[in-house]
Amino acid sequence: MRYKILFFLIAAFSVASMRASDSTEVKKISIPSTYIPQFHGTFRAFYEQSTAYGEKRFQVRNARLSAGGKVLPVAEYFFQVDLCDRGKMKILDAYVGVTPFKGFKVIGGQCRVPFSIGASRAPALYHFANRPSVCKLFGNLRAAGFKIGYTIPKTRLYIEGGAFNGTDMSDHSAWNKSLTYSVKANYTTPGGLLPQVCFMSRKPGLEGIRINQVDASLTFQNSSWFIEAEYCYRTYTGNSHDASHGYNFEIDYGFPVKSAIVNRLSFQGRFDGITDASTGIRNSAGVLGDDYIGHNRITVGTTASYIKGSLHCDFRINYEQYFYSSGRHSISESDDNKLVAALVLYF
C-alpha cells in the first residue's frame, strides 16, 4: 500500500511539472558585463635569515585576492581578503563606492584609512620585501567607516578624508566612544612629482590615549627612477608620552634587460627609522611605555622582474641592517639584522 501511494505522488508531481513547463516560458537571464567582477591577486613568499640571532624561517607573507566592479553607473563594490598573512586569514576591504558626479566619490564599509603614501601602497608595488617602519607602525590602518574623495575640477589636486571606528577592524559590533578621523591631499605634477600631506587623529581601543599625527611625503617616478621621502610627526594627548618621529628615504633604479625569464633588473637603497613610540594604550602601570623601540635601518637590495602589462613576477633579495642607540636593542628577531629573499607574483 505504501508503494502505491508513493508511486501516485511521484506521478502527480511529474504531471504538474509537465503542465508548468508547458505553460511557462523559459527566459534566459542576461548578466550585464558590468556585473562581472575584476579579479586581482598578490602572492608573496619569504625566506628570512636573522643574521643577529642565527634563526631562519619561511612564510607566506600575503596571499591576497580582490574583486570589484560596477553594478550601476554611479555605484561600485570592492572586497579584498588575505587568505594567508603569515598563516592567518584576514578580511581587509569590504566597501561600496558611490560617484554622484565626476571627480566625487563616497565610500562606506571597511577600507584603508587615508594616511601615509607608503602605507597606502599595495604589497605588489613595494620596492623592498618589507615596508618602512614609519608606514608599518604609524600609518598602517584599516577600519570600518566612511570616506569622501574629491578631485578639484581642472586641477590635479585630490583630497580625501573620513571618519572610522576606533576599535579593531575584525569586530564591527563594538561601540565607540571616540572615532578615528583622517584626511590627506596630494597633487600630481606633469613632471612625475607627487607631494602629499596627511593628518590623522585616533584613540586606539576603548581605553587608549588619543594620538595625533601629521605626515608629509614627496615622490618622484619615471620609467627608470623611483625616489621617495616621507616624514611623520606623532604626538600623544595629555603629555602622556614624548612626541615620536618616523622617516623614510628610498630610491630605486631599474632598466630593461633581454632574457627569457627576466625583462627588468633594478637596484634599491633605503634609510628609514623611528624614535621611541607608543601604541597609545596604557601598560599595567597605567602609563604609556615604549612599545616601539627607536632605531634606524639601512636596506639594500636587488630585484629581477618579468613584467607583461599589469602582470609581473619579482624575485627580491634584501639585506636589512638595524642601528639601536647604546643600551637599547630590538624586542624581536623581526626588528633586527636579517637577510630576506622574496618571490612576488601579481596578476
Side-chain angles (χ1 to χ4, degrees):
M1 183 63 180
R2 289 181 300 176
Y3 296 108
K4 290 182 179 180
I5 294 174
L6 180 60
F7 177 78
F8 175 78
L9 292 175
I10 294 174
F13 179 77
S14 300
V15 172
S17 299
M18 291 174 61
R19 288 179 179 176
S21 62
D22 291 341
S23 60
T24 304
E25 181 182 357
V26 178
K27 296 182 179 180
K28 293 182 178 180
I29 299 176
S30 178
I31 301 177
S33 60
T34 54
Y35 280 29
I36 301 175
Q38 294 184 351
F39 290 95
H40 296 283
T42 302
F43 184 89
R44 297 198 302 156
F46 280 15
Y47 168 76
E48 294 180 302
Q49 179 174 332
S50 171
T51 58
Y53 295 87
E55 299 180 347
K56 311 170 183 63
R57 68 181 178 186
F58 291 96
Q59 62 176 328
V60 176
R61 186 59 183 84
N62 297 111
R64 293 191 181 188
L65 181 65
S66 64
K70 277 194 172 184
V71 294
L72 293 170
V74 298
E76 63 185 78
Y77 63 94
F78 181 81
F79 65 86
Q80 182 173 219
V81 61
D82 203 322
L83 301 174
C84 188
D85 180 349
R86 290 164 289 190
K88 298 179 181 179
M89 182 176 176
K90 296 180 180 179
I91 298 176
L92 302 175
D93 300 288
Y95 62 78
V96 174
V98 178
T99 307
F101 55 87
K102 185 178 180 180
F104 184 84
K105 180 182 288 188
V106 180
I107 289 176
Q110 180 170 294
C111 56
R112 168 74 66 180
V113 176
F115 188 84
S116 171
I117 186 71
S120 301
R121 185 170 291 121
L125 303 179
Y126 293 170
H127 294 87
F128 296 85
N130 292 313
R131 295 168 294 175
S133 298
V134 62
C135 304
K136 179 177 68 173
L137 303 178
F138 290 179
N140 183 33
L141 183 63
R142 278 183 167 88
F146 87 99
K147 62 182 177 181
I148 297 173
Y150 183 55
T151 301
I152 306 298
K154 298 181 181 180
T155 73
R156 300 175 184 223
L157 177 62
Y158 177 72
I159 302 173
E160 184 179 76
F164 308 85
N165 284 343
T167 50
D168 194 289
M169 72 174 187
S170 63
D171 182 10
H172 299 176
S173 63
W175 292 92
N176 294 261
K177 292 183 179 180
S178 302
L179 296 178
T180 295
Y181 305 97
S182 182
V183 63
K184 76 174 182 180
N186 58 50
Y187 183 85
T188 305
T189 69
L193 282 173
L194 177 67
Q196 177 172 283
V197 292
C198 314
F199 171 78
M200 186 200 304
S201 178
R202 66 183 300 251
K203 185 178 179 181
L206 300 177
E207 304 297 333
I209 297 295
R210 180 162 288 277
I211 297 171
N212 297 312
Q213 49 190 42
V214 293
D215 182 276
S217 62
L218 182 62
T219 306
F220 171 76
Q221 186 171 9
N222 61 20
S223 60
S224 299
W225 292 94
F226 176 90
I227 304 173
E228 186 168 272
E230 182 174 6
Y231 169 73
C232 181
Y233 179 69
R234 177 180 177 119
T235 62
Y236 310 83
T237 55
N239 294 319
S240 51
H241 191 281
D242 291 339
S244 304
H245 307 266
Y247 37 88
N248 174 59
F249 176 78
E250 61 184 67
I251 185 169
D252 177 289
Y253 174 71
F255 51 90
V257 296
K258 293 183 179 180
S259 171
I261 59 173
V262 174
N263 57 17
R264 181 178 173 83
L265 189 64
S266 57
F267 299 91
Q268 298 83 33
R270 177 177 66 192
F271 173 78
D272 73 308
I274 61 168
T275 60
D276 292 342
S278 169
T279 59
I281 299 176
R282 297 181 180 92
N283 58 24
S284 58
V287 298
L288 298 186
D290 293 336
D291 302 298
Y292 308 131
I293 305 300
H295 62 268
N296 292 317
R297 174 175 61 172
I298 293 178
T299 308
V300 293
T302 183
T303 303
S305 306
Y306 184 85
I307 304 171
K308 186 175 183 180
S310 61
L311 312 178
H312 61 78
C313 181
D314 301 324
F315 177 68
R316 308 187 195 282
I317 297 180
N318 289 170
Y319 177 72
E320 303 178 8
Q321 177 73 42
Y322 286 73
F323 300 91
Y324 291 89
S325 59
S326 178
R328 309 300 296 276
H329 56 83
S330 66
I331 57 177
S332 72
E333 294 89 336
S334 298
D335 297 317
D336 216 322
N337 305 340
K338 60 179 176 287
L339 179 69
V340 185
L343 184 61
V344 182
L345 177 65
Y346 172 77
F347 60 90

